[in-house]
């Protein structure tokens, strides 16, 4: 994927957006920021490494989730070195997300880690039901994708401005065309959304700090507002009628990830209807 990206950027440009060929040295420096990520999609090649939907299986001591259940990821089934994150070598990551009229404020999801061998019980997936009588939103949740997810390792490049790159917007446009991802679940890599300037992780970290200050998240523990202390745990690009153009990010402080504090995952949603 990096070869066609470089070819397009340096030799062809991107005629669809009137982008002329870009300086080779700048393109190569941009490629120097590459990160590996695991891209999980339905109906693709690669090992089965999770699922959209399916039964919700949780340890008895874990409270009922307050957000709709989206997917599970089997860390042991991810390709070796699929990300540069300090992930557990095995166990399941369960992801939850709300797509209810996001306004850019607050937390919109959660992540739960279930280590291998942990006794679990099946839960009602509708315990989140925070919008009784809202048939429109219930239809959106009922439209969340279902089915097995297969994983492949791909490179990822930034979707936001970086200092020292006068053609960052053009580089992002060429990369998005080359990567051509949609409707996927991604572990690691860079946060991506329609408006990615600044880095969506900056907005996520800022929102987490605000929610802690207001006493609405974090259990009273402080969090860092510095984007370099955070990593992208997962990203979801929904392909759902009524939420076209939405992007969901799950971010976590690197120290919390290393400590397996997945309860400290913070989620944001960007939606431009």
């Amino acid at each position: 994927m990096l070869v066609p990206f470089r070819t397009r950027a340096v030799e062809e440009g991107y005629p669809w957006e009137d982008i002329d060929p870009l300086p080779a040295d700048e393109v190569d420096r941009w490629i120097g920021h590459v990160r590996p990520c695991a891209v999980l999609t339905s109906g693709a090649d690669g090992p089965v490494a999770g699922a959209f939907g399916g039964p919700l299986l949780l340890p008895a001591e874990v409270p009922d989730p307050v957000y709709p259940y989206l997917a599970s990821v089997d860390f042991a089934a991810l390709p070796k070195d699929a990300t540069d994150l300090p992930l557990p070598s095995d166990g399941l990551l369960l992801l939850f997300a709300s797509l209810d009229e996001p306004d850019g404020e607050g937390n919109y999801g959660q992540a739960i880690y279930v280590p291998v061998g942990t006794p679990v019980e099946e839960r009602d997936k509708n315990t989140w039901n925070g919008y009784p009588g809202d048939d429109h939103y219930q239809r959106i949740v009922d439209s969340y994708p279902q089915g097995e997810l297969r994983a492949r390792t791909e490179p990822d490049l930034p979707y936001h401005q970086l200092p020292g790159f006068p053609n960052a917007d053009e580089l992002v446009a060429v990369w998005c065309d080359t990567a051509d991802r949609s409707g996927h679940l991604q572990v690691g890599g860079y946060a991506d959304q329609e408006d990615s300037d600044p880095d969506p992780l900056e907005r996520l970290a800022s929102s987490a700090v605000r929610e802690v200050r207001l006493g609405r998240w974090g259990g009273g523990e402080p969090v860092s507002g510095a984007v370099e202390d955070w990593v992208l745990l997962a990203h979801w690009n929904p392909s759902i009628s009524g939420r076209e153009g939405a992007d969901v990010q799950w971010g976590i402080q690197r120290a919390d990830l290393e400590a397996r504090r997945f309860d400290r995952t913070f989620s944001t949603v960007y939606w431009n209807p």
Side-chain angles (χ1 to χ4, degrees):
M1 290 176 65
L2 295 178
V3 172
F5 165 72
R6 189 182 189 281
T7 299
R8 293 185 188 189
V10 174
E11 300 178 15
E12 303 171 5
Y14 189 31
W16 289 104
E17 295 195 14
D18 295 325
I19 296 174
D20 294 326
L22 303 170
D25 64 331
E26 185 177 352
V27 175
D28 289 338
R29 288 189 296 111
W30 191 261
I31 290 175
H33 289 274
V34 67
R35 291 176 180 168
C37 67
V39 177
L40 295 96
T41 56
S42 302
D45 295 331
V48 176
F52 279 131
L56 175 57
L57 303 174
L58 291 172
E61 66 274 12
V62 173
D64 287 336
V66 295
Y67 301 95
Y69 178 47
L70 174 66
S72 62
V73 177
D74 183 354
F75 284 135
L78 292 179
K80 181 177 175 57
D81 300 324
T83 80
D84 58 0
L85 299 177
L87 298 174
S89 59
D90 52 27
L92 293 180
L93 177 68
L94 307 183
L95 295 172
F96 304 80
S98 169
L99 293 179
D100 177 54
E101 300 285 348
D103 59 5
E105 304 291 333
N107 182 34
Y108 282 88
Q110 65 191 108
I112 296 174
Y113 174 56
V114 182
V116 168
T118 303
V120 294
E121 60 184 20
E122 185 167 356
R123 302 285 185 88
D124 179 0
K125 288 191 287 187
N126 288 314
T127 55
W128 63 272
N129 196 15
Y131 311 100
D134 188 342
D135 293 338
H136 174 66
Y137 186 59
Q138 183 65 57
R139 285 194 296 272
I140 289 175
V141 173
D142 291 342
S143 298
Y144 278 22
Q146 303 288 314
E148 68 180 21
L149 287 167
R150 293 183 177 269
R152 63 186 184 273
T153 301
E154 291 189 357
D156 207 22
L157 290 172
Y159 300 89
H160 54 274
Q161 292 274 353
L162 292 177
F165 289 91
N167 293 293
D169 289 343
E170 291 80 2
L171 288 162
V172 169
V174 177
W175 172 246
C176 288
D177 182 60
T178 304
D180 191 26
R181 297 174 186 148
S182 64
H184 67 294
L185 180 67
Q186 178 175 317
V187 177
Y190 286 96
D192 176 26
Q193 61 191 36
E194 183 178 344
D195 177 11
S196 291
D197 190 23
D199 182 351
L201 272 186
E202 289 187 26
R203 296 174 176 172
L204 186 147
S206 175
S207 184
V209 169
R210 181 178 59 251
E211 292 300 293
V212 168
R213 184 174 64 249
L214 295 174
R216 298 191 299 211
W217 183 81
E221 298 182 46
V223 298
S224 172
V227 66
E228 58 267 22
D229 292 334
W230 291 78
V231 296
L232 177 73
L233 177 62
H235 165 255
W236 176 41
N237 172 243
S239 181
I240 294 176
S241 176
R243 288 297 181 270
E244 296 88 346
D247 284 286
V248 184
Q249 323 285 351
W250 290 265
I252 187 170
Q253 294 178 106
R254 181 174 289 273
D256 287 329
L257 179 56
E258 292 172 343
R260 307 296 185 247
R261 291 289 310 277
F262 287 92
D263 59 302
R264 302 267 288 166
T265 301
F266 194 89
S267 181
T268 58
V269 176
Y270 180 88
W271 182 45
N272 181 8

